Amino acid sequence: LFERPRFRKAAGISVVTPKEKAEVLSFVPDFGGPVAYIPNAVEVSPLDGYTWSPPASPKISYLGRFDIIHKGLDLFLEIARRAPQVEFHLYGPDDDASKKSKKLLMKSCSSNVFFHTAIFGAEKASVLANSTLYLQMSRWEGFPLSIAEAMYLGLPCAVASSTNFASLFEEHG
């Protein structure tokens, strides 16, 4: 109702993944302006000095909002339930919206799942560098910076095929 007219009147549209271009053009097929792919900028200076050093015991990490449906955290917890020998660590904000979701998630998770507050800077770099895998099970997503940061450190990443950036993983191995 609101977005289509706004898109049609735009002088140009930017997307963060190539797959989004097709989505935009299917949403406004008569759009005549440019649609440019401009990936998110990633600030890597807080990550300098850190490199991936997997821990002896497997540890899977996720950084982001505690949005159960959007971020696929129900799927994340199901994977954790099926891999009891692996630790699963979720880091996210403690804002009002997240607190409610976090409580629901904590009630339904297995004992190998750990919840933490959001982390930044050196603490984030250390967590990523000392994880075995970064896991993003989002049902839809632009391009999460935490994945780019994890990749910068050399941390292997697994992403749900439902995300727009999954095609970038496939294309570039």
Side-chain angles (χ1 to χ4, degrees):
L1 182 64
F2 297 105
E3 293 299 321
R4 195 168 273 126
R6 190 170 70 91
F7 271 61
R8 285 188 181 124
K9 291 178 186 175
I13 299 171
S14 65
V15 297
V16 296
T17 66
K19 189 175 176 184
E20 280 183 303
K21 183 175 182 175
E23 288 180 4
V24 166
L25 293 175
S26 72
F27 184 62
V28 283
D30 54 341
F31 182 73
V35 180
Y37 162 51
I38 305 171
N40 286 335
V42 180
E43 176 58 49
V44 295
S45 60
L47 306 172
D48 287 342
Y50 293 87
T51 56
W52 182 49
S53 180
S57 299
K59 177 183 170 188
I60 294 177
S61 296
Y62 160 81
L63 283 70
R65 293 181 297 114
F66 294 124
D67 184 319
I68 297 169
I69 302 302
H70 177 182
K71 300 297 185 178
L73 296 181
D74 54 331
L75 304 172
F76 187 99
L77 294 184
E78 182 57 30
I79 292 169
R81 195 175 332 308
R82 294 173 186 231
Q85 72 285 6
V86 177
E87 287 186 6
F88 289 76
H89 292 263
L90 298 94
Y91 298 82
D94 270 341
D95 59 5
D96 289 337
S98 293
K99 284 181 183 179
K100 188 175 182 180
S101 296
K102 186 176 174 181
K103 280 184 182 180
L104 287 170
L105 291 166
M106 291 175 83
K107 285 181 183 179
S108 65
C109 71
S110 50
S111 62
N112 59 331
V113 177
F114 305 91
F115 291 86
H116 311 276
T117 59
I119 52 175
F120 304 94
E123 187 178 9
K124 179 197 275 188
S126 178
V127 163
L128 291 172
N130 294 292
S131 293
T132 307
L133 177 76
Y134 185 92
L135 180 60
Q136 185 82 31
M137 294 303 299
S138 297
R139 289 183 166 86
W140 64 90
E141 197 69 68
F143 191 98
L145 294 178
S146 56
I147 290 177
E149 293 164 336
M151 292 187 320
Y152 180 80
L153 296 172
L155 174 62
C157 298
V159 301
S161 61
S162 55
T163 61
N164 283 335
F165 62 89
S167 61
L168 293 173
F169 273 63
E170 291 172 16
E171 182 182 333
H172 297 286

